[in-house]
Amino acid sequence: DLHRLIRRQRQMCIRDSLCPVLAVHYHQKYQRNEQHEYHQEKEYHLRPIPLDLSHFIISFREYEKYSRDFVALEHKLDALQTKPALTRDGVRITLLGNIEFPDEAQVVLEKGGEGIGLYRTEFLYLNRPNEPTEEEHYQAYAETVRVFRERPVVFRTVDLGADKYTQSRRWAPEPNPFLGLRSIRYCLKNLTMFKRQLRAILRASVLGQVKIMFPLITNIQELMQAKMILHDVMEDLDEESIRYNRDIEVGIMIETPSAALTASTLARDTDFFSIGTNDLTQYTLAVDRGNELVSTLYSAADPAVLRLIRMVTQDAHKAQIGLSVCGETASEPEYVMLLLGMGIRTLSLTPPMIPEIKQVIRSVTLEECHKLTRKVVGMNSERQISGYLRSAARKILPEAY
Ligand code: PEP
Ligand code: MG
């Protein structure tokens, strides 16, 4: 459990020096939903990952030892930065980074990432009383695209609502916000705001390999409507003689069971899928991803979640569209072999985890991944699957466990 906590800290981009007491502090603040203060702190990259923190009362000496071991491992793995993410039998895996701010792009590069698979653009909206202007959007996006030049940068359109609401909406909470007006639903009801962001993304698209991704799609109408609005914005830019990439790739996140179950239909109208396992797990298992009381149920290793991921992978392959996983599962060493074995070749990770995941990839063959996947597919319980995945990962990267 301690390993899990320390890894979580690193996934959250919380610096090495931070001790679990602080992690508890941040987590509790988050739980109390004090978003306003929370987002004013520098170290707030906390993704809502449920942890039962009562297990983590340890001595400082014990923490120091674990922390030292992890830092040593991190230094060792940083040497992999320029090495490719190749399996032992030569299969190339693409490792991208998940970011929230332009200055994190550099970290992705330093850690060996090959582009941005998920730019969480909603962070521009938080912690401020007014909406960002088109120019503010554009400047933030252009800065990132320039860092990556010809390498992909996937901008996810704003994913506001649920746990990430603007200052104005903070005072009008919905009774059931994760099932409410969030994400693409919110954008489709706030077209001026949505169009402003799309204009900025399109303007930045001439600077590199920019892609657009819509979050939380639940049905084909939403996708068609979002694409129609994108075309409207393109027409506006045409009229104003503003340049953009007309062939920009447009993808969607697969984060709801309905999207996973209708992936073959959605695939016809989209260039790529990115599986958001954080929300997909939450919605499949009906478990609030930020609620500690039910955190033991929250696991992507649940057979129901894995079945959906497999289905989406098969449908994406059949339709010959792009596919990646960008939820936290992709950043967990335990899941790498399974995802590869299912046929996933692109992972978008929290930047500090890129070297560790690359090390796992470089230590295995695809045949081993397939074998592991076949075994897992035959298992019935989350406990059995997660135990099996953990012991397989421990054999490959013992230093991390
Ligand atoms: C996800 O849901 O898996 C995801 C990547 O999006 P977010 O964590 O920002 O909701
Ligand atoms: Mg999500």
Side-chain angles (χ1 to χ4, degrees):
D1 279 350
L2 186 59
H3 281 294
R4 199 165 155 237
L5 174 67
I6 294 172
R7 174 165 295 124
R8 287 290 193 235
Q9 276 182 239
R10 292 162 70 228
Q11 285 181 351
M12 293 187 265
C13 300
I14 293 176
R15 309 292 171 249
D16 296 332
S17 58
L18 206 71
C19 77
V21 179
L22 261 183
V24 171
H25 168 74
Y26 282 107
H27 190 72
Q28 283 174 343
K29 275 187 96 166
Y30 180 78
Q31 286 300 320
R32 291 207 306 271
N33 225 355
E34 290 176 31
Q35 283 218 332
H36 181 62
E37 286 163 54
Y38 187 68
H39 285 291
Q40 280 176 346
E41 311 236 7
K42 178 65 191 137
E43 307 285 5
Y44 68 77
H45 301 249
L46 180 58
R47 309 302 311 150
I49 297 164
L51 285 174
D52 180 356
L53 291 162
S54 58
H55 299 315
F56 298 124
I57 298 165
I58 55 162
S59 75
F60 190 68
R61 187 167 301 164
E62 204 180 352
Y63 173 73
E64 269 192 330
K65 183 195 168 314
Y66 277 107
S67 192
R68 252 197 325 272
D69 291 351
F70 269 93
V71 172
L73 174 65
E74 208 152 65
H75 284 317
K76 188 178 136 198
L77 294 177
D78 276 346
L80 292 176
Q81 194 231 19
T82 53
K83 302 231 166 84
L86 268 185
T87 61
R88 271 178 28 236
D89 47 352
V91 178
R92 182 82 166 80
I93 308 300
T94 303
L95 297 183
L96 308 170
N98 295 347
I99 64 167
E100 276 124 35
F101 295 102
D103 58 0
E104 292 173 294
Q106 205 55 45
V107 183
V108 174
L109 270 189
E110 281 162 21
K111 293 286 176 187
E114 303 165 71
I116 302 297
L118 170 64
Y119 191 130
R120 290 183 161 108
T121 60
E122 57 278 3
F123 282 85
L124 270 180
Y125 289 77
L126 305 172
N127 194 21
R128 56 184 294 161
N130 52 350
E131 263 186 55
T133 62
E134 180 184 323
E135 208 46 38
E136 283 171 313
H137 279 290
Y138 175 75
Q139 291 303 340
Y141 303 160
E143 193 183 327
T144 309
V145 179
R146 285 195 186 104
V147 170
F148 284 95
R149 297 201 196 106
E150 288 315 304
R151 285 177 280 190
V153 179
V154 179
F155 289 102
R156 175 176 77 181
T157 58
V158 285
D159 189 32
L160 288 168
D163 55 334
K164 293 172 284 197
Y165 36 86
T166 56
Q167 293 301 309
S168 57
R169 288 189 79 203
R170 190 171 172 244
W171 305 111
E174 294 170 275
N176 209 343
F178 278 96
L179 301 182
L181 188 62
R182 67 168 292 206
S183 213
I184 193 70
R185 303 169 183 182
Y186 182 69
C187 288
L188 294 176
K189 283 220 188 274
N190 289 276
L191 291 185
T192 313
M193 181 199 89
F194 191 33
K195 284 184 170 184
R196 188 179 298 133
Q197 176 177 40
L198 292 174
R199 275 177 72 95
I201 299 175
L202 285 173
R203 282 174 55 200
S205 69
V206 291
L207 305 172
Q209 202 198 325
V210 169
K211 304 183 189 191
I212 294 181
M213 179 159 77
F214 300 126
L216 205 83
I217 292 289
T218 49
N219 62 42
I220 186 76
Q221 293 94 271
E222 274 173 341
L223 171 59
M224 298 318 283
Q225 204 185 337
K227 285 179 74 171
M228 220 167 67
I229 290 155
L230 179 66
H231 285 122
D232 286 351
V233 174
M234 286 178 169
E235 274 173 20
D236 292 346
L237 293 177
D238 284 337
E239 274 169 28
E240 296 166 55
S241 306
I242 296 173
R243 289 176 56 231
Y244 62 90
N245 174 13
R246 199 169 293 277
D247 301 318
I248 189 165
E249 282 191 29
V250 180
I252 61 171
M253 290 193 72
I254 302 289
E255 302 183 276
T256 60
S258 62
L261 291 165
T262 57
S264 58
T265 310
L266 295 167
R268 288 187 217 125
D269 286 291
T270 185
D271 296 311
F272 63 92
F273 287 154
S274 191
I275 306 177
T277 50
N278 307 341
D279 275 316
L280 187 61
T281 304
Q282 149 167 278
Y283 290 120
T284 304
L285 303 176
V287 178
D288 179 342
R289 68 195 238 188
N291 185 341
E292 276 177 35
L293 301 175
V294 284
S295 65
T296 50
L297 292 171
Y298 183 88
S299 169
D302 190 286
V305 180
L306 295 181
R307 195 174 289 187
L308 290 179
I309 297 174
R310 267 182 85 216
M311 282 175 50
V312 172
T313 306
Q314 287 162 357
D315 286 338
H317 287 164
K318 258 187 234 152
Q320 299 186 318
I321 63 166
L323 174 69
S324 66
V325 174
C326 67
E328 299 299 331
T329 308
S331 302
E332 301 265 7
E334 292 94 311
Y335 286 90
V336 174
M337 289 181 79
L338 180 62
L339 295 176
L340 265 50
M342 286 181 177
I344 286 152
R345 298 288 175 267
T346 302
L347 302 173
S348 191
L349 319 173
T350 184
M353 292 304 291
I354 294 173
E356 204 165 313
I357 298 299
K358 193 188 277 187
Q359 172 70 4
V360 176
I361 292 167
R362 291 174 59 86
S363 311
V364 299
T365 64
L366 202 61
E367 187 40 47
E368 287 165 348
C369 298
H370 283 143
K371 208 168 134 198
L372 173 135
T373 303
R374 279 195 297 273
K375 272 223 149 130
V376 167
V377 167
M379 294 178 181
N380 297 323
S381 79
E382 187 280 333
R383 181 175 290 199
Q384 196 187 9
I385 295 171
S386 56
Y388 180 69
L389 294 181
R390 206 169 307 125
S391 73
R394 195 174 283 139
K395 280 186 205 140
I396 293 161
L397 203 60
E399 311 96 293
Y401 291 90

